Amino acid sequence: MKKILLAAVFLTGFSFGFAQQAQDKKLDPKEDKDLMTWYHKDFATTKVYGINTENAYKFLESKGLKPKTVIVGVLDSGVQVDHPGLVKNIWTNPNEVPGNGKDDDGNGYIDDVHGWNFIGGKNGDIDVDNMEVTRVVAKYKPVFEGEDSTKNKANQAKMPEEFAMYMKAKELFTDKSTEARQNLQTYTMINTLIPNMVKLLNGKAVTPENVAAIPAPTDQKDAIALNVLKQVSQSPDFKGKSSAEFQKSMSEQMKEAIDHFEPQSKQYDLSYDPRKEIVGDNYDDYSEKKYGNNHYEGPDAEHGTHVAGIIAGLPQGKEVQYGVASRVAKIMSVRTVPNGDERDKDVANAIRYAVDNGAKVLNMSFGKPLSPGKNVVWDAFKYAQDKGVLLVKAAGNENEDVAEHIAYPTNFKNATDEKPFVNNVLVVGASTNNNDALRASFSNYNKNMVNVFAPGEQIYSTVPKNEYRYLQGTSMASPVVAGAAAVLLAYMPGLKPDQIIESLVKSSNPSTANQFNSYSQAGGVIDLEKAAEYAYTHFYNGKSGSAKKAAKPSRKTVKK
């Protein structure tokens, strides 16, 4: 699911937040261009936990290695393939003739020049879709809680696994739908109060002193507006702004929040299902693969375009942003994730499509708490493993231990398993540029089930309409690692997925601050130069240009 992270600020008893915000004045992204590329920094010289991108390239080139292009599949909401910062690094299918309406390469997908869209069809593209809990409740409520109580009990006994999933979905559906409805009401109300807040400021700047000096209003709306002002006047996002600047910034933040929560009226609507009308497939037939269209961008490609830029963005014009693998990677757009939860059938088919069309690294910045079709996704994981393809997956943004709150798709069949069932999945948590709070407050974690951490807060990258933006999330940390893996693979093409994983885990820059070393196998943040040195030393034969026989992974695991 595409998720906008809301950093909590408590206002009159309800949470309020922003998808992007400066941590303090000196890190204001509009003022400090150095922040745009902080995640590339060298920890050894700057003491900022970047990934040491430039020195990695220098090391690899010093060994006389010549890079080969690596195709990275971005399984996401879509990518603006003609974005000026991406267009030169977009994969083009060499065997497909653009726009002729034919399946020139015979792979079953017509005009798949830059990738494919599994959540579209001849009637358009899916934007908003259900949450998985909604789909499970809608499907199984008549089966387990229908009008015939005798039949209900028989079905519960006959389908215990499905019944357990239904009960979990029902609980989550009830909690999340109520929360979404309340959040929309809250942000809508605050939005209507913005003129009242501006009136109360009476032309003065937003400071605690100015707000404290406002007389207590007799009007109820003004009283609520003043209460909100007292809270935001303490926030670095608004503190010191003129009333005009405050109005503009607050309006933008409220629009973003409303745009996020408004679609949830459909996401949690048990009767809403756009699949049949738009995609036109038989959704219950997991063996079906040939559906969709070639709309690489789709209705809302912000998330996927941002991810693509982190992997392979190129500087253009006045923009200094560049992706980790900008010199070696090509982006294949495989549209898989709607505004809602991704569907297991689409995830499985997206993995197979990307693998079959030459991608060697896949980025998967999505996740959900339930997976009715997890077996078909796991089969796709194994298919990718057999083809030597690395899957890089975001750990999730719920600030939870993933052993206690599973985020699908997962490479562990059971949370109590000591080892994953495949060796080609790399799970990534999000770190910050604040050494005293290195784990991003939203990032999921686990010493055994999360492999590494990488920069995922205040990440500047490409977004649609040829623009750039700061976003945060494990969704941003995952493509940092996917880009790093692509660099290693470009210069050392014979590396196996498990070798890449070991190289990144074993070479991470450690930290013990605030128990950071207990949040992942690595216990630190990846360092691409050190990973390149590790891979070259342990696995790579420079003379033959191929990887040595895979060594048995030496990662320690923690039994749960």
Side-chain angles (χ1 to χ4, degrees):
M1 182 183 85
K2 290 188 297 175
K3 293 183 180 177
I4 296 176
L5 290 177
L6 304 175
V9 177
F10 290 97
L11 305 171
T12 59
F14 43 78
S15 64
F16 168 73
F18 317 92
Q20 60 180 54
Q21 63 174 26
Q23 293 178 350
D24 52 48
K25 283 289 182 181
K26 70 180 181 180
L27 291 181
D28 188 334
K30 295 179 181 178
E31 298 175 3
D32 190 354
K33 286 192 175 183
D34 190 48
L35 183 61
M36 294 178 180
T37 57
W38 78 264
Y39 61 94
H40 293 295
K41 287 187 175 182
D42 170 16
F43 174 74
T45 58
T46 68
K47 302 307 175 186
V48 174
Y49 279 90
I51 70 162
N52 204 5
T53 307
E54 291 303 315
N55 285 330
Y57 282 106
K58 290 177 182 177
F59 169 79
L60 292 163
E61 290 167 1
S62 75
K63 298 301 180 182
L65 302 176
K66 303 297 181 183
K68 295 183 178 180
T69 299
V70 174
I71 301 169
V72 180
V74 173
L75 280 56
D76 216 292
S77 66
V79 175
Q80 184 195 340
V81 296
D82 61 351
H83 191 293
L86 289 171
V87 65
K88 293 181 180 178
N89 274 345
I90 296 296
W91 171 75
T92 297
N93 186 341
N95 300 313
E96 197 72 27
V97 178
N100 68 353
K102 298 179 180 179
D103 180 18
D104 300 291
D105 60 2
N107 68 353
Y109 303 97
I110 296 172
D111 285 339
D112 58 325
V113 178
H114 301 302
W116 196 248
N117 172 22
F118 282 100
I119 49 175
K122 62 181 180 180
N123 295 322
D125 304 298
I126 289 178
D127 182 6
V128 180
D129 201 350
N130 306 116
M131 309 303 287
E132 192 64 72
V133 294
T134 308
R135 295 192 282 261
V136 170
V137 171
K139 180 177 180 179
Y140 287 108
K141 186 175 183 179
V143 178
F144 298 128
E145 293 188 310
E147 296 179 358
D148 189 331
S149 59
T150 302
K151 188 179 289 185
N152 293 340
K153 291 180 181 179
N155 288 335
Q156 292 168 15
K158 187 167 58 177
M159 297 182 284
E161 185 177 344
E162 289 84 352
F163 180 60
M165 180 176 64
Y166 167 71
M167 293 303 291
K168 181 179 179 180
K170 182 181 176 182
E171 180 182 2
L172 289 170
F173 174 82
T174 301
D175 292 344
K176 295 296 184 181
S177 59
T178 301
E179 179 185 335
R181 185 167 56 252
Q182 291 173 343
N183 279 323
L184 179 60
Q185 292 171 349
T186 295
Y187 296 125
T188 301
M189 181 188 71
I190 294 175
N191 191 52
T192 64
L193 292 174
I194 293 175
N196 299 71
M197 295 182 229
V198 174
K199 179 185 70 174
L200 291 171
L201 286 169
N202 196 25
K204 295 181 180 179
V206 180
T207 66
E209 296 77 18
N210 288 342
V211 173
I214 298 173
T218 56
D219 179 82
Q220 185 179 17
K221 287 184 70 175
D222 284 348
I224 298 173
L226 179 57
N227 196 12
V228 175
L229 267 177
K230 287 178 179 178
Q231 302 297 316
V232 301
S233 67
Q234 304 290 336
S235 166
D237 293 279
F238 300 106
K239 191 175 181 180
K241 289 185 180 294
S242 69
S243 58
E245 290 172 334
F246 167 78
Q247 184 173 18
K248 181 176 183 294
S249 181
M250 181 66 103
S251 296
E252 289 173 350
Q253 301 288 10
M254 288 302 95
K255 181 181 184 304
E256 184 169 330
I258 292 169
D259 287 348
H260 173 64
F261 286 109
E262 206 162 39
Q264 293 187 0
S265 61
K266 292 182 178 179
Q267 292 170 355
Y268 291 103
D269 182 346
L270 293 173
S271 64
Y272 178 69
D273 183 4
R275 183 79 180 197
K276 185 176 181 180
E277 295 258 337
I278 294 177
V279 180
D281 66 322
N282 176 7
Y283 180 65
D284 292 326
D285 181 3
Y286 283 112
S287 67
E288 190 177 7
K289 296 177 173 58
K290 304 302 189 290
Y291 59 90
N293 62 35
N294 67 345
H295 300 170
Y296 318 111
E297 187 168 348
D300 181 5
E302 179 180 79
H303 193 274
T305 303
H306 200 270
V307 164
I310 295 169
I311 297 169
L314 285 166
Q316 54 91 23
K318 296 180 180 179
E319 296 292 348
V320 298
Q321 186 271 343
Y322 63 98
V324 177
S326 58
R327 304 179 198 178
V328 298
K330 298 292 184 184
I331 297 296
M332 176 192 293
S333 175
V334 191
R335 190 165 180 265
T336 317
V337 186
N339 191 346
D341 275 342
E342 63 282 353
R343 296 181 183 241
D344 296 326
K345 177 180 179 179
D346 300 331
V347 172
N349 284 329
I351 291 171
R352 290 176 181 272
Y353 173 88
V355 170
D356 289 344
N357 286 278
K360 300 305 292 183
V361 178
L362 308 188
N363 186 80
M364 304 192 301
S365 290
F366 51 79
K368 57 186 180 179
L370 293 173
S371 180
K374 58 182 178 293
N375 288 318
V376 73
V377 177
W378 285 341
D379 286 344
F381 276 20
K382 288 187 286 187
Y383 182 78
Q385 176 182 257
D386 292 343
K387 299 290 186 178
V389 175
L390 177 70
L391 310 180
V392 184
K393 178 190 176 297
N397 302 326
E398 291 75 30
N399 184 27
E400 294 175 341
D401 184 331
V402 293
E404 298 175 8
H405 303 272
I406 296 175
Y408 291 97
T410 174
N411 53 331
F412 284 77
K413 292 282 182 84
N414 300 286
T416 55
D417 291 348
E418 186 174 336
K419 295 180 180 180
F421 76 97
V422 286
N423 65 6
N424 66 324
V425 179
L426 178 52
V427 182
V428 185
S431 58
T432 74
N433 55 9
N434 181 353
N435 294 359
D436 295 326
L438 194 54
R439 179 176 73 87
S441 60
F442 51 79
S443 180
N444 288 353
Y445 54 88
N446 182 266
K447 182 68 175 177
N448 186 36
M449 298 175 72
V450 175
N451 299 99
V452 298
F453 270 67
E457 188 173 79
Q458 292 283 10
I459 305 299
Y460 190 71
S461 185
T462 48
V463 293
K465 298 181 181 178
N466 302 341
E467 295 177 356
Y468 290 77
R469 191 178 179 201
Y470 286 87
L471 292 177
Q472 60 185 16
T474 57
S475 283
M476 284 62 249
S478 181
V480 169
V481 176
V487 172
L488 296 179
L489 200 55
Y491 284 91
M492 294 174 278
L495 287 177
K496 310 295 184 187
D498 62 322
Q499 294 172 334
I500 295 173
I501 295 172
E502 180 172 334
S503 298
L504 290 165
V505 168
K506 289 293 185 179
S507 61
S508 290
N509 289 315
S511 173
T512 57
N514 298 312
Q515 300 181 321
F516 187 78
N517 60 334
S518 68
Y519 294 134
S520 68
Q521 290 179 1
V525 177
I526 69 163
D527 186 307
L528 183 51
E529 183 197 19
K530 291 181 180 178
E533 293 177 1
Y534 187 98
Y536 186 83
T537 301
H538 288 78
F539 305 124
Y540 199 75
N541 183 332
K543 292 182 180 180
S544 67
S546 61
K548 297 177 182 178
K549 184 177 180 181
K552 185 177 181 180
S554 55
R555 300 189 301 275
K556 293 182 179 179
T557 57
V558 176
K559 294 182 178 179
K560 299 302 292 181

